[in-house]
Amino acid sequence: MGHRRSVGDYFRAGFLIVMMATWLVPVSMMIGNSLSADKSFSRVPPTFLPKRFSTENYRELLSLKLLPRWIANTALIASVHVVGQILINGAAGYVFAFHRGLKWLFWIFMTPIFVSQYVLLVPQFVVFGKLGMIGLPAVILPGVWATGIFLFRNYFKTIPKSFTEAARMDGAGEFLIFRRVILPLSAPIVGSAVVLISMGIVGSYVWPMLNLRAEEQQTYLVGLMNSAINVYAVKNVGKDMAIGVMAMLPYFLIFSLTSKHFIGGLTGGATKE
């Protein structure tokens, strides 16, 4: 006998369909009008598909002289942040997971979660300026990622203590245990961290814009947005839509390549204190 669907099941399905349509309608309009050679986006009512398809907008963007440099800059910054933040924040998560006496310090580290990153922009800029690190060092250096510490700590708590105790009995130090025992058992949360950190770097705009003044040093998103502002503005909406599509592409690539561990990593640490 098949499962009988309730009213709540239909309500949830309808709600998800509405939410999906709410997201897909503007995205489909953006993609459609990015392939348009005319100003169909400004028509009333707006059209989803252009009357005449054209790849001219994308050809012009792909011909930007510094586009490969912007991609390389972003890949370099993302790589440094992925490795650095996994080591730094993963190590912090390991300490907070297996040393319960530091719970008060853990909650101090969690305070940035409750503060908007834009509130911290001015203090960060002033501090880096005083240290003489304005520019590429301010962007490329990884820092403390409160959300990452929280995710790593919760996931590491699901690993039996017998693994770490056995390693200590064999004479392994804390960093060796973290690197050779804990991290190999934590592929899901590491995969999730790679996704979140990479997307954060790709989508970061204000901080790189403030620090990377030279055009050849800019990141992928900053370079594209500056091209839209300085070159196209609102003269050609189709080119602006193409820039929006190209800005979204890294997100789809990152998630499609790393989604295998993403959900498992986020839900793996859902344990009770």
Side-chain angles (χ1 to χ4, degrees), residues 9-258:
D9 293 332
Y10 289 108
F11 176 79
R12 284 189 290 271
F15 176 76
L16 292 175
I17 291 173
V18 171
M19 293 296 294
M20 182 178 66
T22 303
W23 182 82
L24 286 178
V25 167
V27 171
S28 62
M29 290 180 64
M30 180 174 66
I31 295 174
N33 285 277
S34 70
L35 294 168
S36 174
D38 53 25
K39 297 182 179 180
S40 58
F41 187 83
S42 59
R43 293 174 181 171
V44 180
T47 58
F48 288 90
L49 295 175
K51 290 184 177 180
R52 183 167 62 90
F53 283 92
S54 172
T55 59
E56 179 184 355
N57 298 327
Y58 290 100
R59 287 199 303 269
E60 289 192 24
L61 289 174
L62 293 174
S63 65
L64 288 172
K65 183 180 179 181
L66 291 174
L67 183 61
R69 183 67 177 269
W70 297 336
I71 295 174
N73 292 342
T74 305
L76 172 63
I77 295 171
S79 300
V80 173
H81 273 259
V82 165
V83 175
Q85 293 205 29
I86 287 176
L87 290 177
I88 294 171
N89 299 289
Y94 165 76
V95 171
F96 292 132
F98 293 98
H99 297 78
R100 300 300 177 90
L102 298 175
K103 194 171 183 179
W104 61 273
L105 185 59
F106 168 74
W107 289 112
I108 292 177
F109 272 82
M110 291 300 101
T111 52
I113 293 179
F114 308 103
V115 180
S116 172
Q117 60 175 339
Y118 297 106
V119 176
L120 302 176
L121 280 176
V122 174
Q124 284 180 337
F125 193 79
V126 172
V127 170
F128 276 99
K130 294 290 186 182
L131 295 174
M133 298 175 63
I134 291 298
L136 186 60
V139 177
I140 202 170
L141 287 178
V144 175
W145 178 37
T147 303
I149 295 176
F150 180 81
L151 294 175
F152 278 114
R153 177 243 194 188
N154 282 10
Y155 190 91
F156 292 162
K157 287 173 66 177
T158 65
I159 298 175
K161 287 186 177 181
S162 57
F163 288 95
T164 59
E165 291 171 355
R168 288 192 186 96
M169 291 178 64
D170 290 336
E174 295 296 331
F175 184 73
L176 184 62
I177 294 173
F178 168 69
R179 184 169 59 89
R180 300 293 295 272
V181 178
I182 300 299
L183 281 184
L185 294 173
S186 307
I189 191 59
V190 171
S192 298
V194 170
V195 175
L196 293 173
I197 296 169
S198 301
M199 286 186 172
I201 295 300
V202 171
S204 180
Y205 177 72
V206 178
W207 185 247
M209 180 191 65
L210 290 174
N211 287 278
L212 304 177
R213 305 297 179 85
E215 194 174 5
E216 63 273 8
Q217 289 185 344
Q218 291 173 352
T219 59
Y220 178 75
L221 181 61
V222 174
L224 284 179
M225 295 302 294
N226 286 349
S227 298
I229 295 171
N230 298 330
V231 181
Y232 305 122
V234 293
K235 298 176 182 178
N236 189 326
V237 178
K239 286 190 176 68
D240 291 338
M241 296 297 104
I243 289 173
V245 173
M246 289 186 64
M248 287 197 313
L249 281 178
Y251 292 96
F252 289 104
L253 290 174
I254 292 170
F255 189 79
S256 62
L257 294 174
T258 56

